[in-house]
Amino acid sequence: EAQVTQNPRYLITVTGKKLTVTCSQNMNHEYMSWYRQDPGLGLRQIYYSMNVEVTDKGDVPEGYKVSRKEKRNFPLILESPSPNQTSLYFCASSLRTGGFGYTFGSGTRLTVV
Amino acid sequence: KQEVTQIPAALSVPEGENLVLNCSFTDSAIYNLQWFRQDPGKGLTSLLLIQSSQREQTSGRLNASLDKSSGRSTLYIAASQPGDSATYLCAVENYGGATNKLIFGTGTLLAVQP
C-alpha cells in the first residue's frame, strides 16, 4: 500500500530532551515536507526537501532540523524541544512539486512539558 | 500572498442531506487544488485533486469543482452520512513566487446528525 509512515504517533517529552520524529514513504517520491498544525493557525510548513540532500526552510523552521540522506526518509529533529513546539506534526510527500498532489502521514501528536 | 478561506467554519446537517462546502483563494496562479478530510486528531486523507486546467473531479458521493478565474472551489457531498463527519480542508499549490508547499484553508467542521 502506498503510504507515508510517521513514528511515533504520540510522544510526551520534557523540555530540552532531543527527539526525532521519523517519516518514510514507499512511493519513490522526490518531494517531502513537514507541517505543524495548531488550533487557530492551521497547517504551516516547517521544512521541505526537493530531493536527496536538498532541503530548505518553510514558514516556521525555528527550533527544527531535517535531513534527507535517502529518498524515502525525511526525519524531523528537535534538538532542544520547548513547550511552544507542542503540536500535531504531519509529514507529506509528492512525486515532485508542480501539480502531482500530496500524500500525508497519520500525524504525530507531540507534547513538550 | 496566497490566502485560502473556507466557509462555513462549521456545519451541522441531518443525515441524507446534500451539502456544499466552499473554498476561496486570492491568487489564481495555482497548479492545483486538493480537498482533504481530517478526523479528530488524525491524519489528512486526500479526497480529490483538481488540476488547474480541470473544472471538476468526482469520487463516489463527492464532487469538487474549480473556477480558477474567480478563485473558488466547492466540494459537494451527496446524501450525507454520519461517517462523513470530519473537518474538510482545501489546499492550493502555487506556482511562481510561493512554490514548494501547500497553502491550506482553515477548514470546515462538518457534523452529520443521524
Side-chain angles (χ1 to χ4, degrees):
Chain A
E1 180 188 354
Q3 60 185 355
V4 176
T5 303
Q6 291 180 233
N7 280 297
R9 291 292 312 279
Y10 303 92
L11 179 59
I12 301 174
T13 190
V14 296
T15 299
K17 185 177 181 182
K18 181 180 178 180
L19 66 91
T20 299
V21 183
T22 64
C23 174
S24 180
Q25 50 90 7
N26 62 0
M27 296 167 280
N28 202 35
H29 284 175
E30 292 183 357
Y31 176 90
M32 298 184 75
S33 181
W34 278 100
Y35 289 81
R36 61 178 288 175
Q37 185 179 34
D38 302 288
L41 296 175
L43 282 127
R44 295 176 292 169
Q45 190 187 54
I46 303 171
Y47 267 96
Y48 65 93
S49 170
M50 301 291 281
N51 214 326
V52 176
E53 302 292 0
V54 181
T55 63
D56 208 346
K57 297 177 181 178
D59 297 319
V60 288
E62 295 77 20
Y64 304 95
K65 286 176 58 177
V66 293
S67 69
R68 188 91 181 273
K69 295 184 172 63
E70 307 165 279
K71 198 172 190 178
R72 63 184 292 124
N73 295 322
F74 190 45
L76 179 69
I77 303 158
L78 286 72
E79 294 269 0
S80 183
S82 63
N84 65 11
Q85 292 179 297
T86 293
S87 188
L88 180 58
Y89 290 87
F90 290 104
C91 181
S93 74
S94 180
L95 182 62
R96 52 184 179 275
T97 57
F100 293 91
Y102 290 74
T103 302
F104 279 75
S106 299
T108 295
R109 171 75 67 183
L110 173 65
T111 302
V112 184
V113 298
Chain B
K1 178 187 173 188
Q2 178 74 272
E3 293 182 2
V4 182
T5 305
Q6 290 186 247
I7 294 173
L11 181 64
S12 180
V13 300
E15 181 177 4
E17 203 164 283
N18 301 324
L19 58 99
V20 173
L21 307 181
N22 296 293
C23 173
S24 62
F25 48 96
T26 55
D27 184 351
S28 62
I30 63 171
Y31 282 117
N32 56 41
L33 185 144
Q34 197 165 359
W35 281 94
F36 294 90
R37 168 189 172 133
Q38 184 177 23
D39 293 286
K42 300 285 182 65
L44 299 170
T45 300
S46 179
L47 298 173
L48 290 163
L49 172 68
I50 312 176
Q51 301 294 342
S52 62
S53 58
Q54 297 176 320
R55 298 286 293 184
E56 66 179 303
Q57 281 285 343
T58 298
S59 176
R61 294 183 294 109
L62 306 179
N63 175 278
S65 68
L66 175 65
D67 184 342
K68 203 174 70 162
S69 61
S70 68
R72 293 180 184 175
S73 176
T74 61
L75 179 66
Y76 174 83
I77 302 177
S80 58
Q81 303 169 358
D84 294 330
S85 298
T87 296
Y88 290 80
L89 295 158
C90 67
V92 298
E93 183 180 8
N94 269 80
Y95 62 80
T99 56
N100 306 322
K101 66 179 176 183
L102 287 178
I103 301 169
F104 283 86
T106 47
T108 294
L109 177 61
L110 173 66
V112 180
Q113 309 299 332

